Each structure stands twice: as structure tokens, then as C-alpha cells.
Amino acid sequence: MKQEIYINPSDCRHQEYSIFRHLSQDDIDNLSIEMNCNLHKKGETLYNEGNKLSGVYYVNTGIIKIFKTGIEGRDQIIRFCKPGEVFGYRSVLSEEPACTSAKVLEDSILFFIPTHVLLNLLNTNAVVAKELLIVSCKELGEANSFITDIAQKSVRERLAEVLILLKNKFGLEEDNTLKINLTREELANIIGTATESVIRLLSEFKQDNLIDLNGRKIKYLNIPELTRIGNVYS
Amino acid sequence: MKQEIYINPSDCRHQEYSIFRHLSQDDIDNLSIEMNCNLHKKGETLYNEGNKLSGVYYVNTGIIKIFKTGIEGRDQIIRFCKPGEVFGYRSVLSEEPACTSAKVLEDSILFFIPTHVLLNLLNTNAVVAKELLIVSCKELGEANSFITDIAQKSVRERLAEVLILLKNKFGLEEDNTLKINLTREELANIIGTATESVIRLLSEFKQDNLIDLNGRKIKYLNIPELTRIGNVYS
DNA sequence: CGGTACGTTGAGTCATATCAACCATAGTGG
DNA sequence: CCACTATGGTTGATATGACTCAACGTACCG
């Protein structure tokens, strides 16, 4: 399912939020000796909850879905990783099995950095260590907000909010359609509700001319109103 | 409301999960020059959402409540900090205003470590940097689990689970009563429900001989069954 | 052409929120 | 010392958002 591929390792210096963006060419050269790069096709599972990870992943292109499987096999999507982001580091650093699963949502080119290489880098390069700490803190802040939202907002509010958050993270095409394609079930698994509820609410939003629907394509018609319904500040 | 007090700074090496537990006496001596120590009384607010923090806190004794205020002023408790833990670091490291508020739940002795002192320590001491990274990853893992729970479990399940988690974190007295005292409202603000629901479910648990209630004191009578109801693994 | 995954709609049910009234306790100030 | 107020706790009645179950439509794929 995966296929080795050559990508210039210094790519990982160029993405806006990469934790590697301050590395020197020398650092990159060292890193690239032991890291590898693969093309992963949509649908591939990278690891499952409970697996021990032997390294961390860096997203060069594509989108990865990170999720937990709860009671009765229902998934809860924790986050999506886009180019420039790393994942798997939580498990590697706390030396625990993965507490989430990772699946390829769009064909992705990933760098894989083995544990000992990452740890070595963290020990010798305070900048990378601090960058990773910041990434982890940012994620923590988002997780805390999400806990509050899911605990206090209605499903309708959460759906509107998620539409706005997805727009902010992945952006819109020229014609205002969301750049990431999700099934109704995946949307439900983000906001923690039933698939049917998502379907009903999406049609409501369409009725109210907030969005337009065409299969999985969601076109944004009234962003301010969606923002208002979702109680999104920021 | 707060009062300066002298505590031996090397205390912060002795607590089990302290990020400072590997510091040398020299490191501690340096640290203690610029950190200060105060006794904070129950009810004191340490900071509010949106505040800029000028440093991080280390809990020597006592309990701190970390929470977010959502729509219509309802609080969502994110976590409690007990001796050995640090808080406020998320805001300091990502250089953003605090995304939570912090309030003293039980009289607490706190060390306050100014931002520049912490950053300096992180830059010069890879062990502390890694410890903090691990702490942050642990918190992240807990936050992810909590998102899944709150999204998928019923209020009844969540209440049972929280009772188990509180027991695991704070322990029980000789007579099996929980060592931390919370109002019904605080319990509701952890699991994200209405105060009345907590009251009703606690009485149900009491009826079923799972717990006994005496004011805010909760006595654990049947831990295995609570664990089962709460779907707590681990 | 049958199979599989996804999407949609309707009907019925139930857990939980909301609203309202009331009690207990403790602290405050005249 | 008593009235006053605030805070927390409890219980009941009522309303409803969201879930579940079930049936069916649609589209793509080998």
C-alpha cells in the first residue's frame, strides 16, 4: 500500500509551521540519512491504538486523520494533519503505546523519523525541542477548547463551528467549496453525533442558504452567519 | 489574598512527577534566586482567560482548578493540579494569552517561576525541556481521551468514570471517602452536564449502594461496579 | 449484475436540560 | 439576637434535542 519515493528532505524546512523550519542544511543532511520517505495511498492505516510506534511522521503532502475508537466501535476524530505537521510524537515521547489510530485521508507523502533520531535531535537542538513543545502546547489548547465546545454547545452549533474551523484550516477553492472532502459519517465523528443528525442539519443549513451541497462538496454561502451560529470567536 | 512564605526550594525535586526532579542542587540554587513562593487561600483567582502570564506555577501543596468559561458563563473544568504539577506553561510557551482560568480549590503553596527563568532553564537543560514535553504530551493524551468520552458516553457513564478518575488522582481517606471536596456544580462542570443531573445520578448511585453521601463527602462502596458503569479501562 | 459503501428520510423513544419551588446553612450587619 | 442575603443542595414537572431503528435510494466497482 505504501511505496518508497524520493523527495528532497529540505522540503521540511519550507512549510510554514514545520518544527524543522530553523534547521541548517547540515542538520537536514544528517537527518535525511536515517529518515525515509513514502507515498501512502488513501485509506491506508498507518498505525492503530495500542501499537508501539518506532518513530514519528512528518506530513509533506496530503491529509491524515487521527482518531480514537470508543465504545461500540464508534470513532472520534481528534484532528487532521496537513502538510508541515508532525504526528505520532505523543506516543514516542511518553514511551506509551499510541492512544489514537492514524489513517490516510488523501494520498500523502510522509517522512518517517525513527525514535532514536528524533530523540537525538531533541537532545542536541534546543530550537527543535522548543518548537515541538510549542506544537504540543498549541494542540493542547485546541483540545481544551474542543472539550468545552463539545460539553456545552448543541449539535447544531458544533456543526456550524466545525465548518468554520475546517475552512480556516484547509481553505476554500475558487468557487468557495471546502478543500477537504469528508463523508457525513466523518463529520459526525468530529462533532460527536450520529450520521443522521449531520445529514439533517446540513440540509437545514442548505435550506437557510448558509451552504450549498453537491455530494461531498460543501460550498460556503454565508460565513458570518455560520460563525454566529457556531459561536466562534478567535 | 496571597502571602509570601519561605519553603525550601529543593522541595520541588522531591515530588514524584515534578519536571524538576532531576535538577542538581546547583540548578535549584540558581532557580530559587528568581522564583518566589506564596501561600494562596482557597477561592483566590490566580489568572483569568485572556490574561498574559508572566511565568508558570509549580504546585508545592494544595489543589488548583483549571477551567474555561463557555457560553452563558458556564464553566468547563479542564483539570485539577496537585502537588508536583506545573500549570500556566501552555500560555507562556506559545506566547499567547491564557486560554483558561486558574482558581485555588484548597489552600496552596505555589512556586512562581518567571518566564525568562523558565526559558533559560529550557534552553540550557535538555532534561527539563524533555520532562516538560512529556508532561505536555501526557496532558494531551488525557485531553484526547476526555474528548472521546464526553462525545460518546452518557452522563451516567461519565459521572461514574469521573468518580474513578478522581479516586485515582487524589486517593481515598482511611474510611474510603474521596480526598478532594467538590460542589455538585463543580462535578457537573467536569462532566459537562447540569447540576441537577449530577444530584439525581449521585442519589441513584447511593440507592444502588455504589457510594454513600454525606454533604460533599463521597464514600466509595463498590469500585468495580463504578468502573464497569463508567467503561474505564486502563 | 450483484455487492458494498454512502446518503437520505421518517417515526418513535428517551435521556437530559430547563424551569420552578423550596430547604439548609452560614455569614453579615443593624 | 434576629432579619437578611447568598450559596449550595434537592425534588418535581415539563419540554425537547438528539439518538436509534428501519427502510430505501444512489452510485460506483469488479
Side-chain angles (χ1 to χ4, degrees):
Chain A
M1 215 138 170
K2 77 177 181 182
Q3 179 194 342
E4 191 150 3
I5 190 178
Y6 178 78
I7 296 287
N8 186 340
S10 71
D11 264 30
C12 64
R13 283 200 295 170
H14 302 321
Q15 274 142 336
E16 193 177 353
Y17 297 108
S18 167
I19 60 167
F20 303 119
R21 70 184 184 283
H22 297 113
L23 287 186
S24 67
Q25 188 58 50
D26 269 12
D27 290 330
I28 291 285
D29 291 344
N30 282 326
L31 197 56
S32 60
I33 297 170
E34 297 203 80
M35 94 186 173
N36 55 62
C37 180
N38 288 287
L39 171 64
H40 300 261
K41 303 297 280 182
K42 177 171 175 160
E44 182 184 343
T45 296
L46 298 163
Y47 57 82
N48 277 312
E49 253 173 286
N51 288 169
K52 286 202 174 116
L53 302 191
S54 55
V56 302
Y57 297 84
Y58 173 89
V59 182
N60 193 64
T61 66
I63 302 178
I64 307 298
K65 172 171 88 172
I66 309 288
F67 60 100
K68 282 179 85 81
T69 303
I71 28 182
E72 290 160 44
R74 222 170 78 192
D75 289 340
Q76 174 64 40
I77 296 179
I78 301 294
R79 67 182 183 116
F80 297 106
C81 301
K82 68 174 186 179
E85 297 186 340
V86 285
F87 63 94
Y89 65 88
R90 200 210 63 83
S91 160
V92 163
L93 288 168
S94 50
E95 295 176 53
E96 290 171 358
C99 70
T100 53
S101 305
K103 200 165 180 179
V104 179
L105 201 73
E106 307 281 354
D107 291 2
S108 298
I109 295 173
L110 303 178
F111 293 120
F112 181 79
I113 301 151
T115 300
H116 75 277
V117 179
L118 179 76
L119 292 182
N120 192 40
L121 186 62
L122 291 179
N123 284 330
T124 56
N125 193 315
V127 177
V128 175
K130 204 183 150 206
E131 288 291 335
L132 189 53
L133 191 47
I134 291 172
V135 161
S136 150
C137 286
K138 283 240 164 77
E139 262 193 72
L140 192 51
E142 285 166 17
N144 288 344
S145 293
F146 201 57
I147 288 173
T148 310
D149 289 343
I150 222 165
Q152 298 196 351
K153 292 183 181 176
S154 67
V155 171
R156 182 187 172 83
E157 290 172 298
R158 276 183 270 157
L159 180 59
E161 177 181 33
V162 161
L163 289 178
I164 296 297
L165 296 181
L166 287 172
K167 172 188 77 66
N168 292 345
K169 178 151 190 173
F170 295 100
L172 302 180
E173 307 282 359
E174 308 276 294
D175 66 346
N176 273 351
T177 58
L178 188 61
K179 274 190 180 165
I180 180 176
N181 284 321
L182 298 171
T183 65
R184 305 295 195 244
E185 191 182 3
E186 281 166 334
L187 278 170
N189 289 346
I190 303 173
I191 65 183
T193 187
T195 310
E196 296 96 323
S197 299
V198 168
I199 291 170
R200 281 182 240 268
L201 288 168
L202 281 179
S203 345
E204 263 185 58
F205 286 170
K206 183 178 172 178
Q207 291 261 319
D208 299 347
N209 285 312
L210 305 177
I211 56 172
D212 209 354
L213 296 171
N214 189 356
R216 288 185 197 162
K217 288 285 175 200
I218 301 175
K219 184 179 204 166
Y220 288 60
L221 301 179
N222 190 340
I223 296 173
E225 183 61 8
L226 280 174
T227 309
R228 198 192 59 75
I229 293 175
N231 281 300
V232 192
Y233 318 105
S234 84
Chain B
M1 215 140 171
K2 78 177 179 183
Q3 178 195 343
E4 192 151 3
I5 189 177
Y6 179 78
I7 295 288
N8 188 341
S10 71
D11 263 30
C12 64
R13 286 199 294 171
H14 304 321
Q15 273 142 338
E16 195 176 352
Y17 296 109
S18 167
I19 59 168
F20 303 120
R21 69 182 183 283
H22 297 112
L23 288 186
S24 67
Q25 187 59 49
D26 269 12
D27 290 331
I28 290 284
D29 290 343
N30 283 324
L31 197 58
S32 61
I33 297 170
E34 298 203 79
M35 94 188 175
N36 54 63
C37 180
N38 289 287
L39 171 64
H40 300 261
K41 301 298 279 183
K42 175 170 178 166
E44 182 183 343
T45 297
L46 297 163
Y47 57 82
N48 276 311
E49 252 174 286
N51 289 168
K52 286 199 177 121
L53 301 191
S54 55
V56 302
Y57 297 84
Y58 173 89
V59 183
N60 193 63
T61 67
I63 303 177
I64 307 298
K65 172 170 86 172
I66 308 287
F67 61 100
K68 283 179 85 81
T69 304
I71 30 182
E72 292 162 44
R74 223 170 78 192
D75 290 340
Q76 174 64 40
I77 295 177
I78 301 295
R79 67 180 183 115
F80 297 105
C81 302
K82 69 173 185 179
E85 298 186 340
V86 285
F87 63 94
Y89 65 89
R90 201 210 62 85
S91 161
V92 163
L93 288 168
S94 49
E95 295 177 52
E96 289 170 358
C99 70
T100 52
S101 305
K103 199 165 180 178
V104 179
L105 202 73
E106 305 281 353
D107 291 0
S108 298
I109 294 171
L110 303 178
F111 291 121
F112 180 79
I113 301 150
T115 300
H116 75 277
V117 178
L118 179 75
L119 292 181
N120 190 41
L121 186 62
L122 291 179
N123 284 330
T124 55
N125 193 315
V127 178
V128 175
K130 204 182 150 209
E131 288 290 334
L132 189 53
L133 191 47
I134 291 171
V135 162
S136 151
C137 286
K138 283 241 165 78
E139 262 193 73
L140 192 50
E142 285 166 17
N144 289 343
S145 294
F146 200 57
I147 288 173
T148 310
D149 288 342
I150 221 166
Q152 298 194 353
K153 292 183 182 175
S154 68
V155 171
R156 184 188 171 82
E157 290 172 301
R158 277 182 270 155
L159 180 59
E161 179 183 31
V162 162
L163 289 179
I164 296 298
L165 296 181
L166 287 172
K167 172 189 76 67
N168 291 344
K169 179 151 189 174
F170 295 99
L172 302 180
E173 308 281 0
E174 307 277 293
D175 65 347
N176 272 350
T177 58
L178 188 60
K179 274 192 181 165
I180 180 176
N181 284 322
L182 299 170
T183 64
R184 306 296 196 245
E185 190 182 5
E186 281 166 335
L187 278 170
N189 290 345
I190 303 173
I191 66 184
T193 188
T195 310
E196 295 95 322
S197 299
V198 168
I199 290 169
R200 280 183 240 270
L201 288 167
L202 282 179
S203 346
E204 261 185 58
F205 287 170
K206 183 177 171 179
Q207 291 261 316
D208 299 347
N209 284 314
L210 306 177
I211 56 173
D212 208 352
L213 296 170
N214 188 357
R216 290 188 194 158
K217 288 285 174 201
I218 301 176
K219 185 177 201 167
Y220 288 60
L221 300 179
N222 191 341
I223 295 173
E225 183 61 9
L226 281 173
T227 308
R228 197 193 60 75
I229 293 176
N231 281 299
V232 191
Y233 316 108
S234 82

